[in-house]
Amino acid sequence: MMKFRFRRQGTDPQREKIKQELFAFNKTVEHGFPHQPSALAFDPKLQLMAIGTKSGAIKVYGAPGVEFTGLHKDTTAVTQIHFLPGQGRLLSLLDDNTIHLWELVAGAPREVGGVKKEGVVSLQEVGNYSLPGRPGIESCSATRVTVLLLLRSCDLLCIGTEGGGVYFLQLPRLSLKDNHTLLQDQVTQSLPDDYRCGKSLGPVESLQEHPQQSGKILIGYSRGLVVLWDLSTRHADQLFLGKQQLESLVWERTGNLFVSSHNDGGYSVWPVTSGNTCSHQPVTSTIPYGPFPCKAISKILWRTTQTGSPVLLYSGGMPRASYGDRHCLTIQQDKDHVTLDFTSRVIDFFTVHSTEPEKEFDDPSALVVLLEEELVVIDLQTPGWPSLPTPYLAPLHSSAITCSCHISSVPPKLWERLVNAGKAQQGRQHTHRSWPICGGKNLAPPPKQQELLLTGHEDGTVRFWDASGVALTPLYKLSTANVFHTDCDPSEDPQDPSDDPDMQQEEEWPPFRKVGCFDPYSDDPRLGIQKISLCKYSNKLVVAGTAGQVIVLGLSDERSDHLVDVSVVDLLQDREGFTWKGHDRLEPRLKPAPFPPGFQPLVLVQCLPPASVTAVALHAEWNLIAFGTSHGFGLFDYHRRNAVLARCTLHPNDSLAMEGPLSRVKSLKKSLRQSFRRIRKSRVSGKKRTITTPTSKVQEANAALAEQEEVAPVQRRIEPRSADDSLSGVVRCLCFADTFLRDGTHHGPTLWAGTNSGSVYAYALEVPGVGTGRVCERGGASESSVCVEAVLGKEIQLMHRAPVVSICVLDGRGKPLPDPYEASQDLAITPDMTNAHSVLIASEEQLKVFSLPKVSAKTKFKLTAHEGCRVRKVALVVFSSTAQEDYSEHTLVCLTNLGDMHLFNIPGLRPQVRFRVCFYLISPSEYERFSLSAKVITEPLFSVQLDRPLEPTPAR
Amino acid sequence: MVLSAVPQPTSQPGSRMSRQQQHRTPLKLTDNVVEVKSKFEAEYRRFALKKNGPGGFQEFYRLLQTIHHIPGVDVLLGYADVHGDLLPINNDDNFHKAVSSANPLLRIIITKKEDEPVVFGTNSLQRRKKGLGLTGLRTTGSGSTHSKNKPGLMIGLPQNFRQISSIIDVDILPETHRRVRLHKHGTHKPLGFYIRDGVSVRVTPQGVEKVPGVFISRLVRGGLAESTGLLGVNDEILEVNGIDVAGKSLDQVTDMMVANSHNLIVTVKPANQRNNVLHRGSKTSVGNSGSVGSAGSTGSALSHDSPSPASQSNPITASNSIAEGDSDDEDDDGDVILENDCLTPYNSHRVTNSNNTNLNRDSPNNRPHNSTVVRPLPQSVSLPNSIGASLSDSSTMMSSHNGNTASSSQESMREDGNIITL
């Protein structure tokens, strides 16, 4: 009682201090590919690349490990980015017609984990500018910026607009040179009459500075006119009277010619000879994929090489009828002609080439293409132009991610074998040239431990990523499709184009080459991976999927051809009246299949009905796997290859689970309601779009009010959860534990399962060789004949019936039990088996600790009743102190549906810290990395050498 | 129904359950016979009753009088239903209900009418034992009313009903607000209401301000909420089980209500302000419609509404109702734990469980192995806080548990303070 009284005394300063030494919230990096990229830029001096996104983020990347982000205040799409080379400054143009200037600044040095760290370089906005509308023509798009050109001197920014005017902005002050503005009328004056024909020249499509003579810029207008303009004399040097609608312009390095690309899919080469003020025709004009109508060439690059003929790179230009839907980029040099065929839209591209003025040629070394879903880099120096693997910006979502699993402290041996298996896999596909973008210097110390991120994908693959550092790099890819007999024969390598007859036919013209790994189309959605569990000590992996398949895999360094054992477990047992109307189970491959080095399947267990697996647990020491679906759960002994237990968790009234995901009973009503809501919503949002430029505040308010009245209010029903709510039988979590279920003195293997309706089942297991309180060496021949047995010990029905999110057994000291093998291999402290154990059951609404074996409630925290938020995910995490070397605490970390992180101590379940961080799924292609520990933080740490002194952040 | 259905040897009035009697009726329990155990004061009687014969409440009443040898004594009959609630038997309907719900034993409790009346209702058995409950409050004056009941209008006695709702904390709430407690447990009616987003008008020093609020949008016909008459459409919801909903989203409020649905306490500002309870007037707690003078509260709702006193006095009111809502005896440890027979514990270690086994042996037939349907029968289930647990064995367990309860409710109060660091 004294203890409690003491604890009630509000905040304890001692405890507060410890908390500060344990917990600290840091959002560090984002892994994966930015969602909806919209702009690309490259700084050849600093060797940095910037990517802008539709949500207003600018991400800058250099050498692996060097990356930083800037976020615009508004979430408006970034349409263009331009570096001020060497200065560590960049300009961004947003969709709302504003221009922003950003600077690299050094953050203030801070103390992290007791170590003083140098300030992290970050990107900060220092100014912004938007062109004033011309008086009289309000709200017209005349001053909408179309292109930006930054002069090499970096002191002047030329802005081309929709109205055809070119404005000049002084840098870095961002002030308009008012009297220098070049309006279209000035240009039209010098045009021959027959070209003028009364029409406007259209928006400025391209601005390019003369590569040799500074102060001269090339202005291309949409209608086709190109003007070489002298900034100092404010006079048109030369006119090029193009007739075809212009898309882009590019200078040749010498400045003797330039190339224009056009709307009709053609490009023209124009000579620039002084004296000739007006050229009517280009030297050459080509439509590469003609003669039939082609799509526009949106951007063209012309790079000279020492070897002779220039390299021509352009995007688009495909024959409209036959390949109009392809996303292509062509590389052409002499007779070499490759049409890179991407799976997603080309946003922008650039080449890495020598820019020093003393060099005679461009000599491009690499082509960097930003696509909507991935970044592709082509090595231009190796014959055949192979692609380079990217060390960052990995397209995690190359096939939709269906689940993920993070493993820390990976043993070095397993790590090495995974790396080798991965190397064997990708060896033939890529060149091994060094990464061309190498700006900045990574100062981060090598990671103390290896971390692994496993992602399961819709196409049945599991990808292993190195998550130890700032950059997430692919290690190894495991495909489970070859365990099954599918329509497309997986033995043929789809990446090898020569095998594909379809592809060979296309080889003729245009010479397509598939590039990139983003593939949103899944051959068979049933292959999708739903749950992953890896035992890092025994190298056993369990992978479970959409069609009720559970595959046990073992790591092998040798290639192997073998037949996978198949077992079918009926989870419905003797329940009657259930008809499964969902998908069929996958057909196992009957012939032995070749399995490359890496994880190779040993056993396949298929659940019946083949509903998606919702929970899986692996205990490699007992050779047991447990798996659950919406119908029940099963226990399988993969050593003896026999099913130990199958338990149905269905409620008799549960129609949805009975019929599978395509139930007509409930879903029709639901989908009707949803579609009506959607219609209503879209109508509302459609309305919103029309009033993007409100003329007055009153109107805006009126519109908002009208909108409010129109929408029927959202209603929510208040009803306690009942046993027959749909999908109440879904098994949400499974766990193995060596604990006290029968009585307080004899412990033994147990299996715990929790369902969607707040039921928890606890089974006592008889594992041969694993006695009560002792673990015997297994392997005796006599033992293998004895079977594992499971006996139902306890059933707990939580009163509030909320879904059980997690179950975890705590030892006598209130610490979670170690993983299998951890204790027996001396990798963890042996659990306390002398004092009473307890079980922590986390439901969506409450956290609760029950004592064992009696299962009486000890402590609880009613999260939903207090906060109104629900538990999404919980994990038990060890936090180490920054102050004391050997002090650590086990903490329950809980992510809620409001995106908050709540931390509780165990087993007391007292709230420690709450971080309001708003974690929501913002993009399907990225992981956000954050750390809650004050001690262990994986964050970028690097330096960038600038031309200007790097100023520390002004104190805010 | 043949009500003379041979009572067990019960000849000596006033005798406690004698040894001979205790030979546990080896009578074969066929489907149409109900085992009845009736209690009057300290005496028990056991007898069998035919389930589906003709007969009604009056006959049963007389039978009990005969069996207990109390002819002419006015008594009230009650029975324990499957949830452990004490429910009245005073007409044919609820008598049949009682007989049909006997499972397998029908427990009858007989009280003298002159005694302090029993409170029927949710958890009433347990509440009586704990000395909690609203007995004191509710019985004031009820004795006199019933004796002077006019024969013309048949109004049931309060004790003939199960409590489903109440207005609480009238003395600490402003008149414009109402705190309603809904007892879902035990009824089969749905709670039956919907909530929605809306705009609430508040008077602040800066003037009238529109703030988002949550309102009751719909009452389901025949639902618990509608049947209480205490909640109405467009009532603004201010608190849920003592927690202010200001600044919370509709989904959050929904989740909070669902999480508390077994013992829901909502503080509302009724849209109809004319039926408010007068503050310091009478002690009556249940909505006495029309009795309030119109002068007091029909004035502008706006002026009453200024910075919600309820939310200001939150520390007090919150702890108050949390203590009620959260005090473990209500909803929470209603978690049902089913022990399994098949799991043979090591025999030497059956110190604490011995009583359980006895209970189990009592009724092995209704414990099918692997049954998914959880039947909260006192015999087969250990409900930590209800009748089952209060059986003789677990006195130690109970005390320890109670200690726990106290401490954890203290904790939860502490958690409600501002200890949470950000």
Side-chain angles (χ1 to χ4, degrees), chain A residues 35-90:
Chain A
H35 187 51
Q36 294 190 311
S38 52
L40 175 73
F42 181 62
D43 182 342
K45 273 196 185 157
L46 293 182
Q47 296 273 313
L48 292 175
M49 171 180 69
I51 292 176
T53 71
K54 279 195 180 155
S55 55
I58 296 180
K59 302 191 166 200
V60 182
Y61 300 87
V66 178
E67 53 182 89
F68 43 94
T69 306
L71 261 178
H72 287 95
K73 282 183 201 80
D74 300 319
T75 53
T76 320
V78 181
T79 52
Q80 285 179 46
I81 303 178
H82 296 269
F83 273 101
L84 281 71
Q87 295 191 3
R89 292 197 178 100
L90 58 86

Side-chain angles (χ1 to χ4, degrees), chain B residues 213-362:
Chain B
V214 177
F215 297 85
I216 294 176
S217 62
R218 193 154 84 83
L219 298 178
V220 178
R221 262 248 161 116
L224 189 60
E226 190 211 45
S227 67
T228 64
L230 302 179
L231 298 173
V233 171
N234 292 331
D235 287 1
E236 185 184 354
I237 292 163
L238 304 171
E239 290 175 9
V240 175
N241 285 52
I243 293 170
D244 198 349
V245 301
K248 293 213 159 53
S249 71
L250 184 67
D251 287 331
Q252 272 177 285
V253 178
T254 308
D255 287 343
M256 286 165 70
M257 287 187 155
V258 170
N260 287 306
S261 54
H262 289 276
N263 176 39
L264 186 61
I265 300 166
V266 281
T267 310
V268 294
K269 197 191 86 184
N272 178 2
Q273 287 281 329
R274 277 176 300 177
N275 295 339
N276 289 340
V277 178
L278 256 191
H279 234 211
R280 305 181 208 300
S282 60
K283 280 268 179 192
T284 21
S285 54
V286 185
N288 42 358
S289 57
S291 71
V292 183
S294 58
S297 47
T298 43
S300 86
L302 286 185
S303 61
H304 279 290
D305 205 7
S306 53
S308 147
S311 54
Q312 280 187 345
S313 61
N314 212 6
I316 312 159
T317 57
S319 62
N320 210 331
S321 41
I322 278 175
E324 239 180 307
D326 205 51
S327 62
D328 287 50
D329 60 307
E330 277 298 337
D331 48 347
D332 191 45
D333 295 353
D335 297 342
V336 179
I337 291 123
L338 263 163
E339 302 276 339
N340 201 292
D341 283 338
C342 307
L343 187 67
T344 47
Y346 297 88
N347 279 327
S348 49
H349 299 280
R350 303 238 46 206
V351 190
T352 46
N353 284 354
S354 60
N355 196 280
N356 261 342
T357 7
N358 286 339
L359 283 170
N360 292 346
R361 221 171 290 142
D362 247 1

